[in-house]
Amino acid sequence: MLDWMVANVVPIVFYTAAVLVVAGAAGVIWFRNPVHAALSLLATFLAVAGLFVLQHAEFIAAVQIVVYAGGVMVLFLFVMMLVNVRTLPREYQYVRSLLPVAVVTGGFLAAVVAAGLFARARLGAAETTALTAVEGELLGNTEAVGWVLYRDFLLPFEVVSLVLLVAMLGAIVMGRRDRREEDAGEEVRA
Amino acid sequence: MITITHYLALSLVLFTLGVVGMVIRRNFITLLMCVELIINGATINFIAYARHLGDVTGQVFAVFLITIAAAEAAIGLGIIVALVRLKQTVQLDQANVMRG
């Protein structure tokens, strides 16, 4: 049993993670309570991080956990707390009339991509050395990503940081209370 | 043997589930989560091809993708807070001020 597991560690991890990913994604659509949906989404994020480790992307797996499981998920749960979903009028879960549209859209999308996917002959995977080496020297995945990121993609990197700044400013501006609203509130209190 | 096809098929399933969720759900918060599902599916694609081609560039683009997803989540949740303040709802079809 143990020998079999050691010999087949990659398929075992892949299929476990794949089942978790799909189940989590289905849960996001299925659960009526947004908090349950968010926790289901968390399972998907963590399983995807596991898949990244299998694919020799250890650094991206760490980023995935820190940014998604740490940042985005906390943001989602925070907003749900702030909005207090329970006090809102009860949601009807699905738009029934749109269900056929969803099935057709999803089926069409899946068919087109799957056709492209399986029509191609299977090619062998390349060597993994480029994923862990910097100029022929074996260092690690993080070093390899950093080398390419800060050398070949410096300008896109700066642009993305600018995008983050703009997003932050936008979120602050939208989250702020309206000035007139604030003044009116003060007048009422006075 | 797990080949790139397995990863691409998984990312396809994830992407499709995200699209289906965006079509049938009307809760703004759930909709944002579906966008995250779609972006995760795309990231799996990038990582799978980085491994397949033995080129680290795909992983660099995955970093960009994750960054953009985080920015998108921040903006979207800001919009939710503003919407709730204005209309006391997260149902998207209640937000129909601009409907002609």
Side-chain angles (χ1 to χ4, degrees), chain A residues 11 14-15 18 21-22 25-26 28-29 31 34 37-38 41 44-45 48 51-52 54-57 60 63-64 67-68 72 75-76 79-80 83 88-89 91-95 98-99 102 105-106 109-110 113-114 117-118 120 122-128 130-131 141 145 148-149 153 156-157 160 163-164 167 171 174-177, chain B residues 1-10 12-21 23-27 29-30 32-34 36-37 39-40 43-44 47-57 59-82 84-85 88-91 93-94:
Chain A
F14 175 81
Y15 283 114
V21 165
V22 174
V28 171
I29 306 177
F31 286 127
L41 186 64
T44 300
F45 287 161
V48 168
L51 288 177
F52 289 171
L54 273 191
Q55 291 282 63
H56 245 293
I60 312 295
V63 169
Q64 167 93 3
V67 173
Y68 273 120
V72 172
L75 208 60
F76 268 109
V79 165
M80 282 175 213
V83 165
L88 296 173
E91 176 196 1
Y92 44 92
Q93 193 175 10
Y94 304 114
V95 184
L98 280 180
L99 212 57
T105 311
L109 194 69
V113 183
L117 201 62
F118 294 108
R120 288 187 50 187
R122 288 189 184 179
L123 304 166
E127 295 288 311
T128 57
L131 301 181
N141 179 244
V145 170
V148 175
L149 182 61
F153 291 96
F157 176 76
V160 163
V163 168
L164 266 186
M174 274 187 296
R176 243 177 47 165
R177 241 203 274 207
Chain B
M1 182 64 190
I2 303 295
T3 60
I4 186 175
T5 313
H6 291 78
Y7 285 95
L8 296 186
L10 180 65
L12 168 65
V13 170
L14 197 54
F15 192 97
T16 310
L17 277 173
V19 171
V20 168
V23 172
I24 60 175
R25 295 299 299 263
R26 276 296 169 270
N27 186 325
I29 298 176
T30 313
L32 273 185
M33 290 186 206
C34 289
E36 299 294 333
L37 288 184
I39 294 177
N40 256 282
T43 316
I44 291 179
I47 297 294
Y49 269 109
R51 168 73 185 80
H52 186 69
L53 303 173
D55 190 343
V56 83
T57 309
Q59 298 191 4
V60 172
F61 271 87
V63 173
F64 290 152
L65 211 53
I66 291 174
T67 317
I68 296 298
E72 173 265 328
I75 290 285
L77 292 167
I79 293 176
I80 288 179
V81 171
V84 167
R85 192 174 292 148
Q88 279 74 45
T89 181
V90 285
Q91 294 294 307
D93 35 12
Q94 304 283 316

